[in-house]
Amino acid sequence: MGIPSERPSRPSIPAPAADPWSVERSASQYLINGWGAPYFGINDRGHVSVFPTGQGRPAIDLFELTESLRARGVEPPLLIRFADVVGHRIQQINRAFEQAIAEYGYQGRYRGVYPVKVNQERHLVDEVIEFGKPWDFGLEAGSKPELLIALAAMSSPGGLIVCNGYKDEQYIETALLAQRLDKTVIVVLERLEEVDIVLRAYRKLGIRPQLGVRAKLTARGVGRWKDSAGERAKFGLSTVEICELVDRLAACGLTDCLLLLHHHIGSQISSIIPIKNALQEASHIYVELKKMGCQMGYLDVGGGLAIDYDGSRTDFHASTNYELSEYAADVVAHIQGACKGADVPVPTIVSESGRAIAAHHSVLVFEVVSASTVRLGDPVVPRSDAHRLLQELYETYQGILPKNVQESWHDANQAKEEAQNLFKYGYLSLRERAQAERLFWNCCEKIQETMGRLKFVPEELHGLEQAMSATYYCNFSVFQSAPDVWAIDQLFPIMPIHRLDEEPRVRATLADVTCDSDGVIDRFIDLEDERRTVDVHPYHESDPYYLGMFLNGAYQEILGDLHNLFGDTNAVHIRATDDSYQIKHVVKGDSIADVLRYVEYDPLAMSESVRKQAERALEEGKLDNAQVRTLLRHYEHALRSYTYLTSDD
Ligand SMILES: *Cc1c(COP(=O)(O)O)cnc(C)c1O
């Protein structure tokens, strides 16, 4: 399939000027320098290059990596993780705080923690700990299973573990006992009721707890997570409750056990303003707690540090209007200001950035498996004895001019509707109706080209570009690999990983291999707002065509689900070496038998059932021996194979 080569290029795509297409033009087309730097770029072969250490080298050619993995049987869709990117992110965050601390002469230190919920994958958590060692980077757990991960993974003494989320007795007792493993394990009270559980555990175990408290701030985030804070938030103690907590701890002689104040106003806070407001409020609560006689020592500013998914550097939800250095400086300055004013010693600053650490490190590479386009040549001129409607539509087509696009659009639509009605009542044959529809699409195409010459495009014509776009069918599942695209209209940068020295002349939306009509991607990054199509290259069945979805290392994997029983994708862990890379782990994706077991099927019993049915068909002469063998071989081979479309057999 693909688009006919004589199809004229689309107006708002940079015009096919006299100078040839270049990788630089691809870079600006896909905004890769905005969202990708310093980890992603385009090399002079027109392939996406990955710089996992954030320096210029090593450079890994993503297309070649994909092809070489495929050659050894690791098929796309493929999640490729670059652990060094996580290392670089951790380094950048720590350096930003070190710099701010030096600049303000702050008398305390910074200790970040990685919120395990962002991506719990074992190798990744191990890598966070490994790369975080120089800075004593800790972990944050938001549930009992995550606490179990944190305790096992953080095996060296001195580690910091912050415990958030809903807690029961077992959770709290485990946390208290773990303090004796030479770790700082701080249990953050998120609800007042948790105090009772803590007090019971303290009496039972005789271990004094190390406590934190999450404040419910009036300052709120922006965008999707604005309800994570504010008076109606799910978590956190109001000022009334905080005072009650302090009194209850005092009554038990435990005021020295309250060490940490925590707040978290949501994720992807794209504007710095709500962050500043929250800091101001939290810093003063900290100072007050100190003045009320609590031990304190830590102020935990939560997560929310945003990622620039579209490279626009704005406060749009898929972007951020501040840099890491500004964030760190604001945190340090606000805390310092409040403490100085009250003559209170400054705390150790803790932050829980998850997205900002994990998002950049993984790329999903997936393959286009077919393309459908509105395939048009020149319009077929109706014969002189053809139906009146066809004559009229052809006249509309011929008459399309910049000054009457809107009128032509109305005429074409009216004629199309009339054709449908005439067909319904038997006055138009199927061929005539098909001819009318074809002429209608000819009109759409010409209107779209003509619109390119207009300064102002009428509102009602905005949807035309999307209606005229191609659909590229891709071998992956939105629900498994990019659930936030479906759930919250999250935008991820998506672009071809090769052929970038060639002009992307096709506008497309993407459809996945699930049979769900929501399994599509029709929102893409743009400098202003968003686009409804992405520019891609003509698809040729004979050559693989790969797209990459970038910055999807945070939240997507664990939120992914088994819609249509498409399972985990193959995942590969890459570590940079001096001038190349090493494949550390290949984690095979789910087989069909794996996903069937999740939903309680027994693959052996399933084979057996099909075998019995085949035997019966054999006895009845409906299948012969060879056919039975082929059916059973396919069935059993499929059980062992990848849930996605594969080319190996
Ligand atoms: C989710 C969460 C985080 C991580 O937030 P990011 O926006 O990914 O940085 C940190 N702390 C708490 C309490 C959370 O719930």
Side-chain angles (χ1 to χ4, degrees), residues 115 117 140 164 214 262 264 267-268 303-304 352-355 555:
K117 77 155 189 255
E140 185 259 6
N164 292 321
R214 176 164 177 172
H262 175 250
H264 173 71
S267 203
Q268 184 65 14
E352 305 175 340
S353 291
R355 186 184 298 273
Y555 300 110

Side-chain angles (χ1 to χ4, degrees), residues 23-24 42-47 49 61 501:
V23 294
E24 288 74 26
I42 303 177
N43 64 23
D44 48 19
R45 302 172 63 194
H47 300 169
S49 244
D61 186 311
D501 49 0

Side-chain angles (χ1 to χ4, degrees), residues 568-589:
D568 279 344
T569 63
N570 288 324
V572 181
H573 293 242
I574 305 287
R575 282 296 272 270
T577 57
D578 279 347
D579 49 8
S580 182
Y581 65 88
Q582 204 186 5
I583 295 177
K584 288 282 271 199
H585 317 279
V586 173
V587 184
K588 281 296 242 179

Side-chain angles (χ1 to χ4, degrees), residues 610-642:
V610 173
R611 196 185 57 77
K612 282 188 184 144
Q613 296 175 57
E615 295 284 347
R616 204 163 53 225
L618 184 69
E619 274 165 33
E620 293 166 2
K622 294 177 184 159
L623 286 176
D624 65 23
N625 275 320
Q627 288 171 324
V628 168
R629 194 172 62 236
T630 308
L631 172 62
L632 293 179
R633 201 193 290 143
H634 281 327
Y635 197 89
E636 280 165 13
H637 176 78
L639 281 172
R640 285 190 303 274
S641 65
Y642 204 15

Side-chain angles (χ1 to χ4, degrees), residues 30-41 49 51 308-311 313 360 493 550-551:
Y30 296 109
L31 307 167
I32 191 170
N33 297 329
W35 56 260
Y39 308 114
F40 303 100
S49 244
F51 310 103
D308 197 359
Y309 289 99
D310 68 10
R313 306 216 181 284
H360 293 81
F550 295 81
L551 313 192

